[in-house]
PDB file of all heavy atoms in Angstrom:
ATOM      1  N   ALA A 358      25.792  62.643-134.250  1.00 84.00           N
ATOM      2  CA  ALA A 358      25.817  63.181-135.612  1.00 84.00           C
ATOM      3  C   ALA A 358      25.754  64.704-135.642  1.00 84.00           C
ATOM      4  O   ALA A 358      25.927  65.309-136.703  1.00 84.00           O
ATOM      5  CB  ALA A 358      24.652  62.602-136.407  1.00 84.00           C
ATOM      6  N   ASP A 359      25.484  65.297-134.491  1.00 82.00           N
ATOM      7  CA  ASP A 359      25.363  66.749-134.382  1.00 82.00           C
ATOM      8  C   ASP A 359      24.251  67.277-135.295  1.00 82.00           C
ATOM      9  O   ASP A 359      24.384  68.301-135.949  1.00 82.00           O
ATOM     10  CB  ASP A 359      26.693  67.431-134.726  1.00 82.00           C
ATOM     11  CG  ASP A 359      26.745  68.878-134.203  1.00 82.00           C
ATOM     12  OD1 ASP A 359      25.959  69.195-133.286  1.00 82.00           O
ATOM     13  OD2 ASP A 359      27.556  69.664-134.720  1.00 82.00           O
ATOM     14  N   LEU A 360      23.130  66.532-135.314  1.00 74.00           N
ATOM     15  CA  LEU A 360      22.008  66.916-136.167  1.00 74.00           C
ATOM     16  C   LEU A 360      20.932  67.690-135.408  1.00 74.00           C
ATOM     17  O   LEU A 360      19.922  68.084-135.988  1.00 74.00           O
ATOM     18  CB  LEU A 360      21.369  65.668-136.796  1.00 74.00           C
ATOM     19  CG  LEU A 360      22.175  64.981-137.907  1.00 74.00           C
ATOM     20  CD1 LEU A 360      21.492  63.699-138.349  1.00 74.00           C
ATOM     21  CD2 LEU A 360      22.343  65.923-139.093  1.00 74.00           C
ATOM     22  N   LEU A 361      21.124  67.874-134.111  1.00 72.00           N
ATOM     23  CA  LEU A 361      20.159  68.633-133.324  1.00 72.00           C
ATOM     24  C   LEU A 361      20.559  70.097-133.303  1.00 72.00           C
ATOM     25  O   LEU A 361      21.686  70.432-132.957  1.00 72.00           O
ATOM     26  CB  LEU A 361      20.082  68.078-131.900  1.00 72.00           C
ATOM     27  CG  LEU A 361      19.550  66.642-131.760  1.00 72.00           C
ATOM     28  CD1 LEU A 361      19.641  66.184-130.317  1.00 72.00           C
ATOM     29  CD2 LEU A 361      18.120  66.546-132.253  1.00 72.00           C
ATOM     30  N   GLU A 362      19.619  70.946-133.655  1.00 63.00           N
ATOM     31  CA  GLU A 362      19.918  72.380-133.709  1.00 63.00           C
ATOM     32  C   GLU A 362      19.998  73.003-132.321  1.00 63.00           C
ATOM     33  O   GLU A 362      20.601  74.044-132.132  1.00 63.00           O
ATOM     34  CB  GLU A 362      18.862  73.101-134.550  1.00 63.00           C
ATOM     35  CG  GLU A 362      18.905  72.700-136.021  1.00 63.00           C
ATOM     36  CD  GLU A 362      17.907  73.485-136.848  1.00 63.00           C
ATOM     37  OE1 GLU A 362      17.167  74.303-136.257  1.00 63.00           O
ATOM     38  OE2 GLU A 362      17.870  73.289-138.076  1.00 63.00           O
ATOM     39  N   SER A 363      19.348  72.394-131.347  1.00 57.00           N
ATOM     40  CA  SER A 363      19.396  72.904-129.974  1.00 57.00           C
ATOM     41  C   SER A 363      19.183  71.753-129.012  1.00 57.00           C
ATOM     42  O   SER A 363      18.868  70.632-129.415  1.00 57.00           O
ATOM     43  CB  SER A 363      18.318  73.968-129.751  1.00 57.00           C
ATOM     44  OG  SER A 363      17.040  73.374-129.789  1.00 57.00           O
ATOM     45  N   ASP A 364      19.367  72.014-127.730  1.00 62.00           N
ATOM     46  CA  ASP A 364      19.160  70.990-126.717  1.00 62.00           C
ATOM     47  C   ASP A 364      17.682  70.683-126.534  1.00 62.00           C
ATOM     48  O   ASP A 364      17.305  69.651-126.004  1.00 62.00           O
ATOM     49  CB  ASP A 364      19.753  71.437-125.370  1.00 62.00           C
ATOM     50  CG  ASP A 364      21.275  71.544-125.428  1.00 62.00           C
ATOM     51  OD1 ASP A 364      21.862  70.838-126.263  1.00 62.00           O
ATOM     52  OD2 ASP A 364      21.848  72.330-124.648  1.00 62.00           O
ATOM     53  N   SER A 365      16.856  71.642-126.982  1.00 62.00           N
ATOM     54  CA  SER A 365      15.405  71.476-126.844  1.00 62.00           C
ATOM     55  C   SER A 365      14.858  70.789-128.085  1.00 62.00           C
ATOM     56  O   SER A 365      14.814  71.371-129.164  1.00 62.00           O
ATOM     57  CB  SER A 365      14.739  72.836-126.646  1.00 62.00           C
ATOM     58  OG  SER A 365      13.342  72.689-126.566  1.00 62.00           O
ATOM     59  N   THR A 366      14.469  69.551-127.970  1.00 79.00           N
ATOM     60  CA  THR A 366      13.905  68.802-129.087  1.00 79.00           C
ATOM     61  C   THR A 366      12.798  67.899-128.561  1.00 79.00           C
ATOM     62  O   THR A 366      12.845  67.426-127.433  1.00 79.00           O
ATOM     63  CB  THR A 366      14.974  67.949-129.791  1.00 79.00           C
ATOM     64  OG1 THR A 366      14.322  67.043-130.699  1.00 79.00           O
ATOM     65  CG2 THR A 366      15.778  67.122-128.810  1.00 79.00           C
ATOM     66  N   LYS A 367      11.810  67.664-129.424  1.00 90.00           N
ATOM     67  CA  LYS A 367      10.700  66.802-129.006  1.00 90.00           C
ATOM     68  C   LYS A 367      11.180  65.389-128.695  1.00 90.00           C
ATOM     69  O   LYS A 367      10.568  64.665-127.910  1.00 90.00           O
ATOM     70  CB  LYS A 367       9.626  66.770-130.090  1.00 90.00           C
ATOM     71  CG  LYS A 367       8.688  67.958-130.042  1.00 90.00           C
ATOM     72  CD  LYS A 367       7.341  67.588-130.648  1.00 90.00           C
ATOM     73  CE  LYS A 367       6.299  68.640-130.299  1.00 90.00           C
ATOM     74  NZ  LYS A 367       4.963  68.264-130.784  1.00 90.00           N
ATOM     75  N   LEU A 368      12.279  64.993-129.329  1.00 92.00           N
ATOM     76  CA  LEU A 368      12.806  63.652-129.087  1.00 92.00           C
ATOM     77  C   LEU A 368      13.317  63.501-127.654  1.00 92.00           C
ATOM     78  O   LEU A 368      13.531  62.386-127.184  1.00 92.00           O
ATOM     79  CB  LEU A 368      13.921  63.327-130.078  1.00 92.00           C
ATOM     80  CG  LEU A 368      14.266  61.845-130.245  1.00 92.00           C
ATOM     81  CD1 LEU A 368      13.070  61.058-130.757  1.00 92.00           C
ATOM     82  CD2 LEU A 368      15.446  61.668-131.172  1.00 92.00           C
ATOM     83  N   SER A 369      13.500  64.614-126.957  1.00 92.00           N
ATOM     84  CA  SER A 369      13.929  64.563-125.556  1.00 92.00           C
ATOM     85  C   SER A 369      12.766  64.273-124.614  1.00 92.00           C
ATOM     86  O   SER A 369      12.976  64.043-123.430  1.00 92.00           O
ATOM     87  CB  SER A 369      14.573  65.891-125.151  1.00 92.00           C
ATOM     88  OG  SER A 369      15.730  66.136-125.927  1.00 92.00           O
TER      89      SER A 369
END
Side-chain angles (χ1 to χ4, degrees):
D359 198 20
L360 287 175
L361 295 175
E362 294 183 358
S363 68
D364 294 334
S365 178
T366 169
K367 278 206 166 184
L368 198 61
S369 298

